Amino acid sequence: MCGIVGYIGKKNAISLVVEGLKRLEYRGYDSAGVAIINKSKDLKVYKAEGKIIELEKVIPTNDEIIGNIGIAHTRWATHGQPNKKNSHPHIDNSGKIAIVHNGIIENYRVLKTFLEEKGFSFYSETDTEVLANLISFMESEYHNLEVSVREALIKVEGTFGLAVISSDYPGQIIAARRGSPLILGIGKEEYFIASDVSATIIHTKDVIYLQDNEMVVLTQTGYTIKTLKNEIVEAKIDKVDWDISQMEKGDYKHFMLKEIFEQPTSVGNAFRGRLYDNLSTTRLGGIGMSLSELRKVKKIQIIGCGTSWHAALIGKNIIEQIARIPVEVEYASEYRYRNPIIPEDTIVIVISQSGETADTLAAMREAQARGAKVFGITNVVGSTIARETDGGVYSHAGSEIGVASTKAFTSQITVLGLLAVLLGRMTNMSPIDGMEFIKEIRKIPKKIEKILALNDDIREIAKSMVNSTNALYLGRGVHYPVALEGALKLKEISYIHAEGYPAAEMKHGPLALIDENMPVVAIALNDSIYDKIISNLQEVKARDGQLIIIASEGDKLVKKMAKHVIYIPDTIYALQPILSVIPLQLLAYHVADLKGFNVDQPRNLAKSVTVE
């Protein structure tokens, strides 16, 4: 997997597809490549290990690259090492067919054996090259590229988002999807294929989100969408509601820093229009359930991966506190493999920034197969989760380019808080408490701005962690998942080993790790368990741990304990995580930046994980 771009029209394809790849760089990748059919109707393929700048070095500047049709790819390794040999596009043995592919062909070994028996040989270690040769085999039988691709994909088990070109069919791009996102961009006398609208937004805002098991045939004069069963599809054209400015860094050094600073706006967008003052409650219009149906909910399961899983843990704490409904939080990657129990009157909530996370989609479909009502929280309009769930809420975080999620996380927490109040006001939450939540959430953007004003101070604190090899993050209650998220951010972008722990669990093992070289980042805000976490931190201080404490404004006690204190504004318990995570995001960012790492594109990671 990672990024796909294709173009067919009247312009020179090479410059457009390479430009598109650059707009997908944020997704993370280890190699890149491009294939074009030139004016002489020859297929030309260029590939390079590393970043797109390395690819540009191997693309010639002569007439052999001039042509109106091309496909390109940035690869994040799944099958085979990240090198030029395994990078995309892959070509068949004839050298006439080129393919770019996201996903995993699960039965590629069986297909490879079949093709080897037919005389095909293989150059790379990838499953994608098997697919290129399978299409080639079908072409020898059907002599029609569209039919050959369809027949090949019918034999495939697994997931794919792909685009295919052939020098024997110099006026066509064939693209198809199953489980891996793919969009068709519709321009003026030109068409685009991409795994993400980011690649095409500068050229067109009119897009079609291909559905699973759909295939599109593109020519310079139009397109036809069919199912893999060869049934014509009348697809809806959507208009993208954001513009290219959201993909520019502006005056910020990195997208991650820009996105951290966008959180006053993104959190505000997440609750805007969803506060119902008259009844001291919230409203979530896309939820797909009536109030009477919601009132019958006896249990909730929340499913996510990574940062979204941490948001789910916070949501569990908030919903149980406010609505008194029991909540289970599940890793999406484990959910469908453990034969989950879904009682009646249970709703399942799936959370994914991209709406395309493969494990989360698989868990969603398992819950649906068991008859559960599934509700989605996602940031991407038109994503698979948005289309396939029974209802849901957009987090409205806006385009997030940095691989390490920041503003999407706080927007997810905001949405979960709104859901908690909606459910709580039907059960035991009083109008007074409902109105207090509404008043406090309206203040959150300003309070975030106040924390962001500490950016330079937090950078100074980060200097004390640059040479560390390990770190511990501690929290209790709703702040334990925040500690997990803070540790994850540090791991993701600075490559420092970090662990999040419930503070009270330190004495059950991790306290053995504490010495004068161990930074310990703790969240100790004014709440009902403040005294408890202070006692836990005293245990760290007694063993010379280097405490960095996130504390409430005015707290003088922690100053006596900590090497560094970051003071943040106070708010109600349910909203504290939105504030307490921001210093941790900034801390991780500055440690990574001070170490000179590529903050936006950490090694080995991809923005949208579309394979299991």
Side-chain angles (χ1 to χ4, degrees):
M1 64 181 211
C2 205
I4 288 174
V5 185
Y7 172 81
I8 186 167
K10 296 184 176 180
K11 298 173 186 172
N12 191 22
I14 190 77
S15 58
L16 291 173
V17 294
V18 171
E19 171 200 68
L21 287 187
K22 290 179 178 178
R23 299 197 180 280
L24 296 178
E25 279 194 289
Y26 74 93
R27 296 164 65 95
Y29 65 102
D30 47 56
S31 59
V34 61
I36 63 118
I37 297 174
N38 65 18
K39 285 185 174 181
S40 301
K41 299 182 181 179
D42 295 323
L43 178 67
K44 298 292 181 180
V45 177
Y46 310 97
K47 305 194 286 188
E49 182 180 351
K51 299 302 181 183
I52 292 170
I53 190 171
E54 301 302 322
L55 172 63
E56 290 179 306
K57 291 176 182 177
V58 302
I59 296 174
T61 57
N62 55 32
D63 287 350
E64 78 173 37
I65 63 162
I66 297 176
N68 305 125
I69 178 172
I71 55 176
H73 191 267
T74 50
R75 178 177 186 256
W76 184 85
T78 54
H79 288 73
Q81 294 294 313
N83 54 33
K84 180 179 178 180
K85 178 177 70 173
N86 291 324
S87 62
H88 296 217
H90 286 284
I91 59 174
D92 73 318
N93 283 180
S94 73
K96 294 182 177 182
I97 295 171
I99 182 173
V100 292
H101 165 232
N102 287 341
I104 291 179
I105 307 303
E106 294 173 358
N107 62 334
Y108 83 98
R109 290 185 181 88
V110 174
L111 296 173
K112 186 174 183 179
T113 299
F114 167 79
L115 290 168
E116 286 173 334
E117 292 172 351
K118 297 295 182 182
F120 286 86
S121 58
F122 294 87
Y123 171 70
S124 75
E125 303 167 272
T126 69
D127 54 342
T128 302
E129 188 184 9
V130 174
L131 189 50
N133 280 319
L134 182 60
I135 293 168
S136 180
F137 172 75
M138 294 299 176
E139 169 62 15
S140 68
E141 291 195 0
Y142 293 103
H143 308 290
N144 180 299
L145 185 61
E146 176 188 346
V147 175
S148 299
V149 173
R150 181 183 300 111
E151 291 298 320
L153 294 182
I154 288 171
K155 296 184 180 299
V156 163
E157 296 173 10
T159 60
F160 50 80
L162 57 85
V164 179
I165 58 175
S166 169
S167 56
D168 283 343
Y169 302 86
Q172 286 185 352
I173 297 178
I174 312 292
R177 126 168 219 167
R178 181 196 294 156
S180 192
L182 208 62
I183 64 105
L184 164 62
I186 302 168
K188 295 179 179 179
E189 297 184 310
E190 59 185 5
Y191 300 92
F192 300 84
I193 282 292
S195 51
D196 189 319
V197 294
S198 305
T200 62
I201 189 69
I202 194 170
H203 301 289
T204 179
K205 290 191 174 186
D206 293 327
V207 302
I208 291 173
Y209 296 92
L210 294 183
Q211 308 290 308
D212 276 355
N213 296 308
E214 288 184 352
M215 188 173 82
V216 58
V217 180
L218 298 176
T219 67
Q220 286 192 346
T221 58
Y223 62 90
T224 304
I225 301 175
K226 298 179 181 179
T227 68
L228 291 183
K229 294 180 179 179
N230 204 28
E231 301 163 332
I232 294 287
V233 174
E234 297 296 332
K236 173 191 172 188
I237 298 176
D238 288 301
K239 193 165 286 287
V240 180
D241 63 355
W242 52 274
D243 58 45
I244 196 64
S245 65
Q246 294 188 32
M247 296 191 64
E248 304 297 337
K249 282 187 288 197
D251 295 330
Y252 292 96
K253 186 175 182 181
H254 296 100
F255 280 109
M256 183 179 177
L257 186 61
K258 172 177 179 277
E259 287 154 11
I260 291 171
F261 272 79
E262 286 175 342
Q263 287 175 110
T265 299
S266 58
V267 168
N269 288 342
F271 68 72
R272 184 171 292 111
R274 293 169 170 169
L275 304 179
Y276 197 0
D277 295 72
N278 289 347
L279 294 178
S280 301
T281 188
T282 61
R283 48 188 166 193
L284 300 172
I287 202 167
M289 296 178 71
S290 67
L291 295 182
S292 61
E293 288 176 307
L294 282 173
R295 195 172 288 112
K296 295 176 183 176
V297 171
K298 301 295 187 228
K299 187 175 182 180
I300 297 171
Q301 293 179 351
I302 311 181
I303 299 170
C305 299
T307 287
S308 294
W309 185 76
H310 296 156
L313 289 174
I314 293 169
K316 166 185 169 67
N317 200 302
I318 297 170
I319 292 169
E320 289 184 342
Q321 181 207 42
I322 291 176
R324 309 305 298 160
I325 297 173
V327 179
E328 293 178 356
V329 174
E330 303 269 3
Y331 277 117
S333 56
E334 297 294 329
Y335 186 76
R336 69 175 174 143
Y337 296 107
R338 66 166 194 82
N339 196 15
I341 299 169
I342 309 175
E344 286 187 30
D345 300 325
T346 298
I347 59 170
V348 176
I349 301 172
V350 292
I351 308 179
S352 166
Q353 188 281 138
S354 67
E356 302 290 354
T357 309
D359 287 319
T360 307
L361 292 176
M364 173 191 75
R365 289 163 180 157
E366 176 65 20
Q368 289 172 324
R370 291 170 181 259
K373 192 88 168 178
V374 180
F375 170 73
I377 298 175
T378 185
N379 189 37
V380 180
V381 175
S383 62
T384 302
I385 282 179
R387 295 195 310 268
E388 293 191 11
T389 46
D390 298 299
V393 177
Y394 288 116
S395 53
H396 295 311
S399 177
E400 188 177 63
I401 305 300
V403 167
S405 180
T406 51
K407 64 177 182 174
F409 176 68
T410 48
S411 293
Q412 288 170 350
I413 299 171
T414 302
V415 168
L416 288 164
L418 298 176
L419 178 62
V421 173
L422 178 63
L423 295 169
R425 286 290 289 119
M426 296 180 197
T427 52
N428 70 324
M429 188 182 205
S430 70
I432 292 173
D433 289 341
M435 184 50 66
E436 182 186 22
F437 180 95
I438 288 172
K439 288 180 178 178
E440 282 298 314
I441 200 169
R442 284 197 172 111
K443 297 176 184 176
I444 290 295
K446 288 292 183 185
K447 292 181 178 182
I448 295 174
E449 289 176 0
K450 195 170 183 180
I451 298 170
L452 294 173
L454 303 174
N455 182 48
D456 291 342
D457 296 333
I458 293 172
R459 187 173 180 86
E460 288 301 311
I461 295 171
K463 291 177 181 178
S464 69
M465 295 181 65
V466 166
N467 296 318
S468 299
T469 54
N470 298 282
L472 281 172
Y473 284 68
L474 304 179
R476 295 193 69 162
V478 78
H479 295 295
Y480 164 51
V482 178
L484 291 173
E485 176 63 11
L488 178 62
K489 285 291 148 304
L490 192 70
K491 281 184 280 197
E492 284 180 309
I493 61 173
S494 76
Y495 318 137
I496 294 173
H497 174 252
E499 296 295 334
Y501 256 89
E505 290 296 305
M506 287 293 290
K507 64 178 76 69
H508 298 291
L511 206 56
L513 298 172
I514 302 299
D515 61 20
E516 68 277 4
N517 298 314
M518 176 70 80
V520 179
V521 183
I523 305 163
L525 302 184
N526 288 332
D527 56 32
S528 61
I529 53 175
Y530 172 77
D531 291 339
K532 297 293 185 183
I533 194 165
I534 290 298
S535 296
N536 302 143
L537 299 186
Q538 291 285 9
E539 297 165 359
V540 175
K541 179 178 170 56
R543 290 155 180 83
D544 297 324
Q546 303 300 300
L547 275 168
I548 300 170
I549 299 180
I550 314 300
S552 298
E553 290 176 338
D555 185 344
K556 296 179 181 178
L557 177 60
V558 294
K559 211 162 192 178
K560 300 174 184 177
M561 303 172 55
K563 182 178 181 180
H564 302 287
V565 180
I566 302 171
Y567 288 109
I568 67 173
D570 206 1
T571 188
I572 59 174
Y573 182 72
L575 297 174
Q576 283 179 349
I578 300 174
L579 301 182
S580 62
V581 76
I582 291 171
L584 305 186
Q585 294 171 346
L586 287 169
L587 190 64
Y589 168 79
H590 287 300
V591 171
D593 185 43
L594 288 165
K595 290 170 78 72
F597 294 144
N598 187 337
V599 175
D600 290 331
Q601 297 171 38
R603 68 189 183 203
N604 303 331
L605 299 180
K607 181 65 177 171
S608 180
V609 183
T610 57
V611 297
E612 289 189 62

